[in-house]
Amino acid sequence: APDPVDAFDALRATETYWRQWLRPLTYEGPYRDAVARSLITLKALTYEPTGGIVAAPTTSLPEEIGGPRNWDYRYCWLRDAGLALEALLRSGFTAEADAWRGWLERAVAGRPQDVQIMYGIAGERRLTEWEADWLPGYEGSRPVRIGNAAAGQRQLDVPGELMETVHLTIRSGLRPRHHLVSLQGLLLDHLERAWSEPDQGLWETRSAPRHHVHSKVMCWVAFDRAVRLAEGHARPGPVDHWRQVRDRIRDDVCEQGFDPVRSTFTQAYGSPELDAALLLIPQTGFLPPDDPRVVGTIDAVRRELAADGLVLRYSAGRGPSPDGLAGPEGAFLACSFWLADALFLIGREDEARELFERLLSLRNDVGLLAEEYDPVARRQLGNFPQAFTHVPLIRVAYELDRHATEHRRGVPRKID
């Protein structure tokens, strides 16, 4: 039998550990408590032996009480890599960022066409999904799923996320291992052939593949970051050819993914549906924030995907859902943070700050957020706590405080 633990000694040791861990935190702005809690959450979601950061430590907590959108999030998604890496580096946690980068490099070793969108905490590739049909589920929400079949999906935004991570790593002074840099050329060769094909998209829909606009934008990001690395960091490669592919993707998206009548990009080619992931367009640099198409998209998302001022990721429950599942879901908290970020980027800082502070008020008594929020029942929904929610919280806090500091110093605002 283990030795008994003195509860007070254990509490003191725990508090000491976290206070010491937070010492590198460089942010001292008005949202420090929220930023610190979100960073602690990322650390607590990290599997220390490998550096892998899980999306959430839970499975099958429902996106609608009693509904079917119950997924297993105890895995590491590649698309979270660049976002988490930025948050850690920006906050001064280079050791954690380097460990996460190391997990990523080990996980994606091999052929580009074999790169998965997600892996286990130690890089496991086989994440077979099955249903525990003998379990009643959280408040009767079935099925209870173990594993995640999305691991086998085609999601064309992931190469863009990888290239963004490589770009951020090199720009921040972290030297990536040789095989990740050499993978770049192979990855882009593969993506040049694949970008024009349909995929399952960011939201991992279980319906037929479509030409998702966000996925195409992230394909543009992959080639754009390769060009930037070649130009700014003397990285080898066929830069002129990459520029041509990059420009071809942008022209295709602007022609087929934009609705000129409503002045908005749409979720997929030929579809009238909207998608909250379109809010990321100005953050990627695909178009400048003051482009009328960007402003129109932000306004359209607010108009058509609003739920009590928060943001739905798409129109689930309002007719046939793009994901092929029945019933509604809650407002997606990451998307609501994306809206605050997008409003800030287009110069609507007061609206951005108001939304951000409202989102902070939705945290529970220890500052944690789930995947979604039900504005009617006033409760959190989905797997908990969710890294994908806490990472954009950190970004928006930094952006709002950076501009406020510059304003106090008389530095003019630059939109880029």
Side-chain angles (χ1 to χ4, degrees):
D3 293 333
V5 174
D6 183 280
F8 294 101
D9 286 346
L11 179 60
R12 280 191 293 270
T14 300
E15 290 176 341
T16 299
Y17 172 84
W18 286 111
R19 287 198 180 101
Q20 289 178 343
W21 183 80
L22 274 174
R23 283 181 180 174
L25 179 57
T26 54
Y27 177 72
E28 296 294 341
Y31 305 116
R32 190 181 192 281
D33 286 347
V35 169
R37 173 55 58 188
S38 294
L39 288 165
I40 286 173
T41 303
L42 288 181
K43 175 65 172 176
L45 293 174
T46 301
Y47 182 54
E48 191 165 5
T50 65
I53 302 175
V54 297
T58 58
T59 181
S60 300
L61 294 183
E63 297 171 18
E64 176 205 11
I65 301 300
R69 293 184 180 88
N70 316 315
W71 313 109
D72 191 347
Y73 277 10
R74 298 170 297 171
Y75 304 107
C76 307
W77 269 254
L78 293 190
R79 73 167 48 89
D80 298 357
L83 301 171
L85 196 66
E86 179 190 21
L88 292 168
L89 287 171
R90 201 168 183 179
S91 303
F93 294 93
T94 53
E96 284 72 19
D98 196 39
W100 175 223
R101 191 266 328 250
W103 174 91
L104 175 70
E105 291 174 339
R106 292 189 298 274
V108 302
R111 301 184 306 167
Q113 58 266 39
D114 295 332
V115 172
Q116 297 183 178
I117 65 151
M118 57 195 285
Y119 297 86
I121 54 176
E124 300 94 338
R125 303 177 65 89
R126 189 173 181 179
L127 310 178
T128 305
E129 181 178 308
W130 55 280
E131 297 178 5
D133 55 11
W134 64 90
L135 295 176
Y138 182 84
E139 293 192 25
S141 303
R142 291 184 172 183
V144 174
R145 292 184 172 94
I146 311 297
N148 201 311
Q153 288 185 352
R154 176 199 289 269
Q155 296 179 23
L156 291 173
D157 65 306
V158 170
E161 308 288 357
L162 276 175
M163 285 302 305
E164 173 74 344
T165 302
V166 173
H167 179 249
L168 177 63
T169 296
I170 293 174
R171 194 181 70 195
S172 302
L174 293 177
R175 309 308 299 178
R177 291 182 176 88
H178 175 73
H179 79 79
L180 187 61
V181 176
S182 63
L183 179 65
Q184 170 186 299
L186 298 172
L187 192 70
L188 294 174
D189 288 344
H190 169 70
L191 191 59
E192 184 177 353
R193 297 186 296 270
W195 75 265
S196 58
E197 299 175 6
D199 76 335
Q200 245 63 46
L202 168 72
W203 305 123
E204 303 175 352
T205 59
R206 303 289 173 110
S207 53
R210 298 196 296 168
H211 292 277
H212 290 93
V213 168
H214 173 262
S215 295
K216 309 290 188 191
V217 168
M218 292 308 298
C219 291
W220 176 91
V221 167
F223 287 95
D224 178 73
R225 299 314 188 255
V227 170
R228 291 193 195 186
L229 284 172
E231 293 177 341
H233 299 275
R235 295 283 163 177
V239 181
D240 289 338
H241 180 68
W242 288 341
R243 284 198 198 95
Q244 292 171 8
V245 178
R246 178 186 66 178
D247 295 344
R248 190 158 66 243
I249 296 172
R250 176 149 58 189
D251 291 344
D252 190 71
V253 171
C254 291
E255 179 181 347
Q256 300 197 60
F258 184 75
D259 181 349
V261 176
R262 292 151 69 207
S263 188
T264 181
F265 287 98
T266 58
Q267 183 177 56
Y269 290 2
S271 168
E273 299 289 342
L274 295 185
D275 188 329
L278 301 169
L279 294 169
L280 295 172
I281 288 176
Q283 188 184 126
T284 65
F286 180 79
L287 289 172
D290 56 357
D291 188 293
R293 292 167 292 185
V294 171
V295 177
T297 299
I298 295 169
D299 287 337
V301 168
R302 293 183 82 183
R303 184 173 60 249
E304 299 185 28
L305 294 182
D308 192 26
L310 305 178
V311 182
L312 302 171
R313 53 181 175 169
Y314 44 71
S315 56
R318 302 178 180 181
S321 175
D323 63 14
L325 297 175
E329 62 178 10
F332 209 81
L333 291 171
C335 298
S336 301
F337 281 111
W338 294 348
L339 175 58
D341 193 22
L343 289 170
F344 173 76
L345 288 172
I346 65 174
R348 300 180 187 173
E349 183 181 346
D350 290 343
E351 296 174 61
R353 193 176 297 276
E354 180 181 1
L355 175 57
F356 179 68
E357 293 183 353
R358 183 188 172 194
L359 288 166
L360 293 185
S361 74
L362 303 182
R363 295 174 299 156
N364 72 359
D365 57 326
V366 290
L368 298 178
L369 288 167
E371 181 181 28
E372 298 184 6
Y373 184 79
D374 183 343
V376 177
R378 299 186 181 278
R379 63 180 295 178
Q380 300 195 45
L381 295 171
N383 286 304
F384 172 89
Q386 181 83 323
F388 204 48
T389 303
H390 283 275
V391 166
L393 182 160
I394 296 169
R395 174 185 165 85
V396 178
Y398 273 104
E399 291 301 303
L400 289 173
D401 190 48
R402 178 176 63 85
H403 180 235
T405 301
E406 291 174 350
H407 180 72
R408 289 192 297 270
R409 294 173 179 171
V411 179
R413 170 95 187 271
K414 179 183 178 183
I415 298 178
D416 56 19

